[in-house]
Amino acid sequence: MTRVLIVDDEPQILRALRINLQARHYDVFTAADGAEALHATARDHPDLVVLDLGLPDIDGVEVIQKLRSWTPVPIIILSGRLDSRGKIAALDAGADDYVTKPFNIGELLARIRAVTRRTTSTEPPSPVRIGRYTVDLADHLVRSDDGSTVHLTPVEWQVLEVLARNPGKLVSQRQLLQQVWGKTYHTETGYLRQYMKHLRRKLEPDPARPRHLLTEPGMGYRFQPRPLSNGHQSERSATCSYNTDR
């Protein structure tokens, strides 16, 4: 069953979309603001996000940017902004489609079906290795060789995923800050140091001498993966727990 997250601060729209989508056998859950949307995506792993741009706490374009820093989940914008600049900004940030309010439910459903068809055939990213751990980006799973799972907070996962999606490449401090915390963050490098320390403590065999989560002094960070052998393929049935504290 396709899981759809609807993000809108208008209760009547949330209710109407929930009823219409559930009647068509979608698994629907909702969020009323941007922060809740980011937590729900990390926690529930939707197959599709329907997102209003005019949210009370975080601008919808910034929500798209934050999601795109760690997940390829399809995003359909549902917004009352009629100017083309708003549409262009949302699409440039990573949205897949745009529906303007007031909208026809039939059109929205057609766009949901179209986006779902385009994305269901996409190959999931391959798992990577960090020491004795397998990081499965497709299933949001970090699993030890002994079968146990690793407990990551959503922010730890976002930092790790940005690095893991760029194996061997230098990711600048600025790029990490903006992709995880937002475009207004430029100099808060202490955030990165703390989260890298937490990740190394959880994943590196010797956190004081990291071999996979590397610091490039004054520039940024680099993820050096360990080759994934056939004996360490991910198990789709496994799960990873998340702490929703940010």
Side-chain angles (χ1 to χ4, degrees):
M1 182 180 292
T2 302
R3 297 166 60 81
V4 179
L5 170 63
I6 304 169
V7 186
D8 202 297
D9 62 340
E10 298 183 47
Q12 63 271 27
I13 289 182
L14 292 180
R15 181 175 181 275
L17 288 180
R18 180 192 290 275
I19 291 172
N20 277 277
L21 289 173
Q22 286 181 337
R24 291 162 176 85
H25 308 293
Y26 289 95
D27 186 9
V28 181
F29 48 111
T30 63
D33 57 43
E36 187 180 354
L38 294 171
H39 283 264
T41 304
R43 182 186 64 239
D44 299 316
H45 314 313
D47 301 304
L48 177 76
V49 176
V50 177
L51 175 69
D52 180 26
L53 291 182
L55 300 173
D57 57 341
I58 306 173
D59 185 77
V61 173
E62 186 173 348
V63 174
I64 298 170
Q65 293 169 337
K66 287 178 177 291
L67 290 175
R68 280 292 168 263
S69 72
W70 64 277
T71 177
V73 62
I75 301 171
I76 295 178
I77 296 303
L78 187 63
S79 179
R81 297 181 185 178
L82 301 177
D83 64 293
S84 59
R85 286 180 298 178
K87 295 181 180 180
I88 292 170
L91 293 170
D92 283 346
D96 295 271
D97 206 342
Y98 197 111
V99 177
T100 302
K101 295 178 181 178
F103 61 94
N104 179 282
I105 188 64
E107 178 188 358
L108 177 61
L109 289 168
R111 291 177 184 268
I112 288 174
R113 291 192 297 269
V115 169
T116 302
R117 283 196 302 269
R118 289 199 302 267
T119 56
T120 51
S121 61
T122 302
E123 286 294 322
S126 300
V128 295
R129 292 283 291 173
I130 301 179
R132 61 190 182 92
Y133 300 101
T134 298
V135 179
D136 191 327
L137 301 178
D139 283 351
H140 290 184
L141 165 72
V142 180
R143 181 172 54 83
S144 172
D145 288 346
D146 63 11
S148 61
T149 57
V150 178
H151 189 92
L152 297 181
T153 69
V155 174
E156 287 171 351
W157 180 261
Q158 290 179 50
V159 172
L160 175 60
E161 187 157 4
V162 172
L163 294 171
R165 287 184 179 276
N166 296 276
K169 298 180 181 179
L170 173 67
V171 180
S172 70
Q173 295 174 343
R174 183 188 183 96
Q175 181 182 350
L176 262 175
L177 283 168
Q178 292 187 344
Q179 289 193 9
V180 175
W181 282 275
K183 61 184 178 181
T184 60
Y185 289 80
H186 306 290
T187 60
E188 293 81 355
T189 55
Y191 290 2
L192 294 177
R193 287 194 295 270
Q194 288 300 314
Y195 280 100
M196 290 300 292
K197 181 188 298 184
H198 296 329
L199 285 170
R200 286 169 178 154
R201 187 178 300 139
K202 293 179 178 182
L203 301 176
E204 288 278 6
D206 183 355
R209 298 176 178 83
R211 294 183 294 170
H212 306 283
L213 300 169
L214 308 178
T215 299
E216 298 288 348
M219 294 185 292
Y221 299 90
R222 191 186 308 270
F223 170 56
Q224 189 62 49
R226 192 183 115 190
L228 184 68
S229 66
N230 291 335
H232 292 109
Q233 299 301 320
S234 65
E235 297 178 7
R236 299 286 176 174
S237 60
T239 59
C240 180
S241 58
Y242 285 86
N243 181 339
T244 56
D245 295 336
R246 291 184 65 84

